[in-house]
C-alpha cells in the first residue's frame, strides 16, 4: 500500500506546500456551489474573479478562475447585481442566504409582508435600486412656435403681421360759437317784401279807379 510519513527524519526538509490551483475546467454537472465547496472560496469571490452572477450557468469545458496568481492584478469590480432571477425550487430563504441577506432584509427590499410564493423567472430585489437622476432644465424655457401658428403666419399678409402703429389723437379744435342773428337782420327782408306788395296793390287799385272815372 501507500506509505505515509508520520514524522520527518532528523534533518529532513518538509515537503513543499502545494500551490492551490488557479483555474478549474468545468465537468458535466458541476455548479458554482460545487466549486465554492471544492476550493473553499466564497461565492462572491468566485463570481468576482470570473465576472459572473449567481444566475450564470456553467458549461462543460468552461475555464473558471478559483484563485489569483501571485502578483496577478485583480479584475475590475463588477457592477453589483440588483435583482435575482428565481430558479426552479428556490425560495425566499434560499435567495436571502445566497446573497447574504436576512429574510427581513429581503422582505423589506421587495415589500413582502408574508412568505411569498415565487415562480421561475420571477425577479427579486437583492440590493437597493439606484436612485433616478432628475434631469436639469434650463432656468428659462422659450416654447417653440407650433406648426399651426407657423402655418397661420405664412398665410397672412405681411401688413397684418406687422405691429399696428400707435396713433396720437389730434387735439380738439375750438368750436366756433354761433353768431346770434339780430332781430333787425332777420326781419328786414320780410318788411321790404311786404311794402313792395302793398305798393303794387295800391298802384293797381289807383289805375282801376281812374279807368272807372273816365267812363263816367
Amino acid at each position: 500500500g501507500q506509505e505515509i510519513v508520520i514524522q520527518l527524519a532528523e534533518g529532513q526538509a518538509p515537503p513543499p506546500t502545494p500551490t492551490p490551483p488557479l483555474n478549474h475546467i468545468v465537468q458535466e454537472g458541476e455548479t458554482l456551489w460545487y466549486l465554492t465547496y471544492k476550493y473553499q472560496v466564497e461565492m462572491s469571490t468566485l463570481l468576482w474573479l470570473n465576472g459572473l452572477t449567481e444566475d450564470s450557468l456553467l458549461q462543460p469545458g468552461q475555464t473558471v478562475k478559483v484563485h489569483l496568481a501571485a502578483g496577478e492584478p485583480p479584475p475590475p469590480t463588477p457592477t453589483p447585481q440588483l435583482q435575482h432571477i428565481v430558479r426552479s425550487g428556490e425560495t425566499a430563504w434560499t435567495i436571502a442566504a445566497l446573497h447574504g441577506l436576512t429574510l427581513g432584509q429581503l422582505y423589506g427590499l421587495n415589500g413582502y409582508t408574508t412568505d411569498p410564493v415565487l415562480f421561475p423567472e420571477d425577479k427579486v430585489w437583492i440590493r437597493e435600486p439606484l436612485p433616478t437622476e432628475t434631469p436639469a432644465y434650463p432656468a428659462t424655457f422659450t416654447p417653440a412656435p407650433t406648426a399651426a401658428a407657423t402655418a397661420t403666419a405664412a398665410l397672412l399678409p405681411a401688413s397684418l403681421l406687422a405691429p399696428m402703429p400707435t396713433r396720437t389723437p389730434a387735439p380738439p379744435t375750438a368750436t366756433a360759437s354761433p353768431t346770434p342773428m339780430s332781430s333787425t337782420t332777420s326781419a328786414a327782408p320780410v318788411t321790404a317784401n311786404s311794402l313792395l306788395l302793398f305798393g303794387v296793390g295800391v298802384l293797381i287799385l289807383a289805375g282801376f279807379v281812374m279807368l272807372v272815372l273816365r267812363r263816367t
Side-chain angles (χ1 to χ4, degrees):
Q2 183 180 1
E3 182 181 358
I4 299 177
V5 177
I6 300 176
Q7 185 177 3
L8 295 175
E10 184 178 353
Q12 182 180 3
T17 303
T19 303
L22 302 179
N23 299 312
H24 174 83
I25 305 300
V26 178
Q27 304 301 315
E28 186 72 32
E30 291 182 337
T31 63
L32 290 171
W33 281 108
Y34 170 77
L35 297 183
T36 59
Y37 171 77
K38 179 179 176 65
Y39 294 102
Q40 296 299 301
V41 295
E42 296 290 338
M43 174 65 76
S44 58
T45 301
L46 195 65
L47 299 177
W48 171 62
L49 289 175
N50 295 276
L52 302 175
T53 66
E54 294 88 344
D55 302 317
S56 299
L57 299 177
L58 301 181
Q59 303 296 330
Q62 180 180 350
T63 300
V64 177
K65 183 178 289 294
V66 293
H67 292 289
L68 289 175
E72 181 182 3
T77 303
T79 303
Q81 184 181 0
L82 299 179
Q83 289 182 313
H84 173 86
I85 300 177
V86 179
R87 298 176 184 172
S88 179
E90 288 184 328
T91 63
W93 186 88
T94 59
I95 295 173
L98 178 63
H99 297 284
L101 301 173
T102 65
L103 274 178
Q105 291 173 330
L106 188 70
Y107 280 28
L109 287 171
N110 294 274
Y112 298 148
T113 56
T114 59
D115 189 20
V117 178
L118 301 178
F119 298 94
E121 304 304 323
D122 285 351
K123 292 182 179 181
V124 178
W125 290 99
I126 56 175
R127 299 284 186 278
E128 287 285 349
L130 298 177
T132 303
E133 295 184 0
T134 303
Y137 293 99
T140 58
F141 173 72
T142 303
T146 60
T150 305
T152 303
L155 295 176
L156 293 177
S159 59
L160 294 181
L161 295 176
M164 296 295 293
T166 304
R167 296 185 178 180
T168 303
T173 57
T175 304
S177 300
T179 304
M181 183 179 296
S182 61
S183 58
T184 56
T185 304
S186 57
V190 177
T191 305
N193 291 336
S194 301
L195 292 176
L196 179 60
L197 293 175
F198 180 75
V200 172
V202 169
L203 290 176
I204 293 174
L205 182 61
F208 179 75
V209 171
M210 291 178 66
L211 179 62
V212 171
L213 293 176
R214 286 179 180 177
R215 287 182 178 182
T216 58

